């Protein structure tokens, strides 16, 4: 029926860039306008020795590549990705931001929509990209394996459909990551045993490379070679485990044109702020003539919480091509960008205010105007008493946990979606997740004296087509912090946000219901709140969690069960025959 674009480890990055550029410029000639292409990929999960920061370590990879292979598709295409697990860890993959309409079995979070793929086993993820185009990404969705198991998803528009911005000369994925010298599975395992914060990463990376500010890393520097007077589309992805990041290129302005695979009203900025889980497409217009300089691109943490963090900076280089041999040999001055202060929350607020949907006839913002169900979720930290045979580092043998509405999520032993589909929820989950916090307090002021949380595997059940408003409120318990919340299975509209405590009487009056940002991951402001709306039009079980991996490990997660609708096309499809067993 159609062509297959199979990335191979032997392909160079340049070839892959060329494939992407070719697909953008030249339509596939043998196919009718309406043809849906099925694209097949094979992902072998395998260990690979990789040297970074002066030492070699074995990491989990896909097809031996770090970062992993790029998936390229068009809006409307079907993706069939066979994943074969050759490592000792059980594993799942999540296609971050893909709506998965009625295909929840392919969503990927372990013990939510599927049991993990065990060692020596395989699973075929089969889904269609419906009504989406832009940059998304894929990553492991169990424990901390996504530290090295991740890669880009490039969804091109349908054939003959242009971008709503200038056609770029070249498209370049740029993925930010975090690197630990230690085994990340050991890092989180030790933290959970002792009840303390995990050791922070040793470096940040750009496309897997730390850059020259780290030991032994001068050769491990990402270089983007550009021509003067051209427009480049940079597809930015934050795959870091635990840190929001500022990103800037010295002496260059970036035009933001898309966030989370949704086109936005373009705006210019010197610095991009991107939370773990988010994607941002920016246009980089190069200078009209080759300047006599090399430009540093840099990323470092935006920090809001009380915990330790990786205070380093990853850098790459923007280098202009030049025809002169003399100029090539000459050492050019290195110009560095100025990034915001580490804790610049005002920059964060102002930056996010600029992100607005196109909201035009071609790309409407279908914000739910009427709301059927309102929810108010507090998100933040707390403490839990450890068992008598466990020594924890908190007062009175307690450990730090994270919670939503004072409930820290307990991971089940059976996938929630299976339990729901086969009506076997008894003993797996309960449907009494609280719509509001158990008690009111000054959420961003002095914390209450009792900061203990409850625990359980609780979900919210929504009838099909329920329109939902959810207010996410940060708390100052242990410390105020920004939380990037990711909702699986849906895009949502960010209708309002602010600092301090949400005011249910006055804040809704200021909502933007005309052109709010449409996203799949949103940063709950540190010491503030954000209000989102979505339509529950996708039957299944959908995970919602903080994309700071340490907070997910600590229990800042829950799930929404969306019931089937009455029509045939409103019902969850049955599971595939190769669905992994627990």
């Amino acid at each position: 029926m159609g062509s297959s674009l199979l990335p191979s480890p032997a392909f160079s990055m340049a070839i892959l860039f060329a494939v992407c550029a070719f697909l953008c410029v030249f339509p596939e000639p043998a196919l009718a306008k309406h043809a849906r292409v099925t694209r097949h990929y094979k992902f072998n999960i395998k260990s690979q020795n990789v040297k970074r920061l002066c030492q070699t370590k074995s990491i989990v990879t896909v097809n031996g590549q770090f970062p992993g292979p790029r998936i390229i598709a068009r809006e409307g295409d079907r993706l069939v990705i066979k994943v074969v697990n050759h490592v000792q860890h059980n594993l799942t993959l999540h296609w971050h931001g893909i709506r998965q309409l009625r295909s929840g079995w392919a969503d990927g979070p372990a013990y939510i929509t599927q049991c993990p793929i065990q060692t020596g086993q395989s699973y075929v993820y089969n889904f269609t990209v419906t009504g989406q185009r832009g940059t998304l990404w894929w990553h492991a969705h169990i424990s901390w394996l996504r530290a090295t198991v991740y890669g880009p998803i490039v969804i091109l528009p349908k054939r003959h459909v242009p971008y709503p911005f200038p056609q770029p000369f070249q498209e370049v994925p740029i993925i930010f990551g975090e690197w630990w010298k230690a085994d990340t599975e050991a890092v989180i395992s030790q933290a959970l045993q002792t009840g303390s914060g995990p050791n922070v990463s040793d470096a940040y990376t750009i496309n897997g490379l730390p850059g020259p500010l780290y030991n032994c890393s001068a050769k491990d520097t990402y270089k983007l070679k550009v021509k003067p007077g051209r427009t480049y589309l940079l597809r930015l992805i934050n795959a870091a485990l635990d840190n929001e990041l500022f990103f800037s290129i010295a002496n260059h302005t970036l035009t933001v044109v898309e966030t989370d695979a949704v086109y936005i009203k373009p705006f210019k900025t010197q610095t991009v702020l991107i939370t773990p889980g988010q994607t941002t497409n920016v246009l980089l217009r190069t200078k009209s003539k080759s300047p006599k300089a090399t430009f540093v691109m840099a990323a470092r943490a935006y920090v809001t919480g009380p915990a330790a963090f990786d205070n380093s900076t990853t850098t790459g280089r923007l280098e202009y091509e030049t025809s002169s041999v003399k100029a090539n040999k000459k050492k050019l001055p290195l110009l560095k960008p100025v990034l915001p202060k580490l804790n610049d929350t005002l920059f964060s607020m102002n930056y996010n205010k600029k992100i607005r949907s196109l909201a035009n006839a071609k790309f409407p913002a279908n914000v739910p105007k009427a709301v059927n169900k309102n929810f108010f979720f507090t998100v933040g930290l707390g403490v839990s008493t450890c068992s008598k045979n466990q020594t924890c580092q908190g007062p009175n043998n307690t450990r730090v946990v994270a919670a939503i509405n004072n409930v820290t999520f307990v991971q089940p032993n059976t996938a929630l979606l299976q339990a729901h589909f086969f009506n076997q929820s008894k003993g797996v989950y309960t449907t009494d997740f609280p719509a509001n916090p158990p008690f009111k307090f000054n959420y961003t002021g002095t914390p209450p004296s009792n900061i203990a949380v409850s625990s359980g595997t609780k979900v919210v059940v929504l009838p099909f087509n329920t329109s939902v408003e959810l207010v996410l409120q940060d708390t100052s318990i242990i410390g105020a912090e920004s939380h990037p919340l990711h909702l699986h299975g849906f895009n949502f509209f960010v209708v309002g946000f602010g600092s301090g405590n949400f005011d249910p009487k006055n804040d809704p009056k200021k909502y933007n219901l005309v052109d709010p940002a449409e996203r799949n991951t949103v940063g709950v402001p540190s010491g503030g709140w954000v209000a989102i709306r979505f339509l529950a039009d996708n039957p299944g079980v959908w995970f919602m969690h903080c994309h700071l991996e340490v907070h997910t490990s600590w229990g800042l997660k829950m799930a929404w069960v969306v019931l089937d609708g009455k029509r045939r096309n409103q019902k969850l499809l049955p599971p595939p025959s190769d669905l992994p067993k627990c």
Side-chain angles (χ1 to χ4, degrees), residues 471-486:
V471 175
L472 296 158
Q473 172 72 60
D474 182 36
T475 75
S476 55
I477 294 173
I478 298 182
E481 192 163 359
S482 177
H483 299 276
L485 261 288
H486 172 47

Side-chain angles (χ1 to χ4, degrees), residues 52-75:
R52 295 287 185 276
L53 311 180
C54 322
Q55 70 180 52
T56 301
K57 73 179 240 190
S58 176
I59 63 170
V60 180
T61 69
V62 168
N63 299 346
Q65 295 174 248
F66 173 69
R70 182 181 331 177
I71 287 173
I72 302 175
R74 282 195 185 277
E75 181 185 342

Side-chain angles (χ1 to χ4, degrees), residues 41 78 94 103 134 165 220 343 366 369 393 401 455 462 558 566:
Y41 289 84
R78 182 169 160 233
H94 168 54
S103 57
F165 46 78
D220 293 331
N343 61 350
N366 297 317
K369 299 292 196 292
Q393 294 182 350
V401 292
S455 62
L462 296 171
M558 55 82 67
K566 289 175 183 173

Side-chain angles (χ1 to χ4, degrees), residues 147-267:
T148 57
V149 182
Y150 60 80
I153 302 175
V154 173
I155 307 167
L156 303 170
K158 289 179 179 174
R159 277 175 223 88
H160 313 299
V161 177
Y163 293 133
F165 46 78
Q167 176 70 37
F169 169 69
Q170 194 177 34
E171 305 186 13
V172 186
I174 292 184
I175 313 182
F176 306 109
E178 273 182 281
W179 183 266
W180 275 259
K181 289 181 181 177
D183 173 15
T184 47
E185 291 303 281
V187 168
I188 185 56
S189 175
Q190 184 188 13
L192 293 175
Q193 280 172 10
T194 61
S196 60
N199 290 341
V200 301
S201 55
D202 297 289
Y204 298 108
T205 56
I206 298 174
N207 288 346
L209 302 169
L213 299 183
Y214 299 98
N215 286 345
C216 310
S217 300
K219 287 182 180 175
D220 293 331
T221 300
Y222 175 69
K223 292 175 183 175
L224 175 58
K225 295 192 183 297
V226 295
K227 294 178 187 290
R230 300 295 177 101
T231 298
Y232 292 79
L233 179 68
L234 308 185
R235 297 177 176 270
L236 309 178
I237 299 166
N238 188 352
L241 256 66
D242 291 315
N243 285 285
E244 300 185 41
L245 295 169
F246 292 120
F247 171 71
S248 185
I249 302 175
N251 292 41
H252 287 75
T253 299
L254 302 172
T255 304
V256 183
V257 293
E258 178 200 298
T259 56
D260 290 2
V262 179
Y263 299 135
I264 64 165
K265 292 183 170 74
F267 68 91

